[in-house]
Amino acid sequence: MNMFDLTGKVALVTGGAHSIGFAIGKGLAQAGATVCFNCTSEGSRVRGEANYAAEGITAYGYVANVTSEEEMNALVAKIREEHGIIDILVNNAGIIKRIPMLEMSVADFREVVDVDLNAPFICAKAVLPGMLEKGHGKIINVCSMMSELGRETVAGYAAAKGGLKMLTKNICSEFGGANIQCNGIGPGYIATQQTAPLREKQPDGSRHPFDQFIIGKTPAGRWGEAEDLAGPAVFLASDASNFVNGHILYVDGGILAYIGKQP
């Protein structure tokens, strides 16, 4: 199983202090990687390092805004100085605004695209010179089922994640010959704080209608857990995926493969 060993590798997980980013960071660390992550505040950085420490992992948090080219270039340089050239980038940081399109302001739309699409471009651009220098690298973009599908109220998110899918393919196209693999993970519906409003119990104790819809639409019959993404991330970060490039690995319990039950 040495092909999955990440010992000696340096990983940067954006937004890696909690939720999906934390689960992926934890998986990479357990496979041997040195894990670094960024946060938007000092408090989040401290809590993130404590979360890793509670799992017996020493991870290194930094405060940096993924939408700032200047801050991310400085962060990548600092990580290189303290830990070495980044071998693995996980573009995980993201936001969603559930607003009907006609009610969504252009400012809100731009904010979602800035965090979910522009930031992965900024972060990839920051780490690629080091990967080229080292002669290898792994970039993992956290995409979404909304890279393939649309749904009411998520115009900005779907547009950004669809763009991220194509950015993934383009990085593969441009840097594959330099032994750099860029792939995406497309989570299905994952039980996180971000999706908690969609799983709230109704006043009568019944499941939220959207919760019922997702359970019925997913062959696995459940929401995913953040930990379900750790194994796929380790695979895409490791030598086991050296000939996998430009691919989006959907971790969705089968939802994209399923037309649903007949009413």
Side-chain angles (χ1 to χ4, degrees):
M1 302 301 287
N2 288 344
M3 68 179 70
F4 296 98
D5 185 11
L6 301 180
T7 301
K9 305 294 186 181
V10 177
L12 169 60
V13 182
T14 67
H18 57 84
S19 195
I20 288 174
F22 174 73
I24 289 175
K26 176 182 169 183
L28 297 179
Q30 290 173 334
T34 297
V35 171
C36 304
F37 64 93
N38 80 295
C39 298
T40 56
S41 71
E42 179 64 16
S44 182
R45 182 196 69 78
V46 171
R47 288 190 296 272
E49 287 189 350
N51 288 340
Y52 282 102
E55 299 288 338
I57 295 166
T58 299
Y60 303 92
Y62 302 86
V63 177
N65 183 346
V66 291
T67 66
S68 167
E69 186 172 19
E70 182 180 53
E71 290 187 30
M72 292 313 297
N73 285 340
L75 172 59
V76 168
K78 188 173 182 62
I79 291 172
R80 176 171 181 157
E81 178 185 339
E82 296 181 354
H83 306 289
I85 293 175
I86 292 171
D87 301 282
I88 302 158
L89 168 66
V90 181
N91 277 315
N92 164 75
I95 61 171
I96 189 169
K97 291 179 181 283
R98 297 185 183 92
I99 305 170
M101 183 171 171
L102 292 181
E103 299 173 18
M104 189 175 205
S105 69
V106 172
D108 280 335
F109 185 90
R110 284 177 173 155
E111 183 183 1
V112 173
V113 172
D114 201 24
V115 176
D116 293 357
L117 179 57
N118 293 342
F121 169 80
I122 288 168
C123 296
K125 188 179 174 186
V127 303
L128 276 164
M131 292 179 174
L132 288 168
E133 179 184 337
K134 203 165 185 178
H136 71 80
K138 302 281 188 174
I139 298 175
I140 302 169
N141 293 324
V142 178
C143 297
S144 168
M145 289 194 314
M146 298 300 110
S147 298
E148 301 289 343
L149 302 172
R151 188 171 68 78
E152 299 84 351
T153 77
V154 293
Y157 186 78
K161 292 299 187 178
L164 185 57
K165 175 183 72 173
M166 293 312 300
L167 177 62
T168 301
K169 292 177 180 289
N170 203 78
I171 293 172
C172 156
S173 301
E174 193 160 348
F175 297 99
N179 193 28
I180 293 169
Q181 291 83 51
C182 181
N183 294 288
I185 291 178
Y189 282 91
I190 307 296
T192 65
Q193 282 186 327
Q194 201 173 55
T195 60
L198 304 177
R199 291 177 283 109
E200 288 180 346
K201 291 287 187 182
Q202 301 302 284
D204 64 0
S206 64
R207 294 179 112 156
H208 189 292
F210 192 81
D211 186 12
Q212 296 179 41
F213 167 69
I214 291 303
I215 296 299
K217 190 74 176 71
T218 306
R222 66 174 178 89
W223 287 67
E225 300 293 338
E227 289 72 21
D228 289 322
L229 302 168
V234 169
F235 165 64
L236 292 177
S238 72
D239 288 344
S241 61
N242 282 349
F243 203 56
V244 179
N245 212 352
H247 177 72
I248 312 299
L249 175 55
Y250 289 100
V251 186
D252 64 355
I255 194 169
L256 283 175
Y258 185 43
I259 195 171
K261 292 181 181 179
Q262 181 178 340

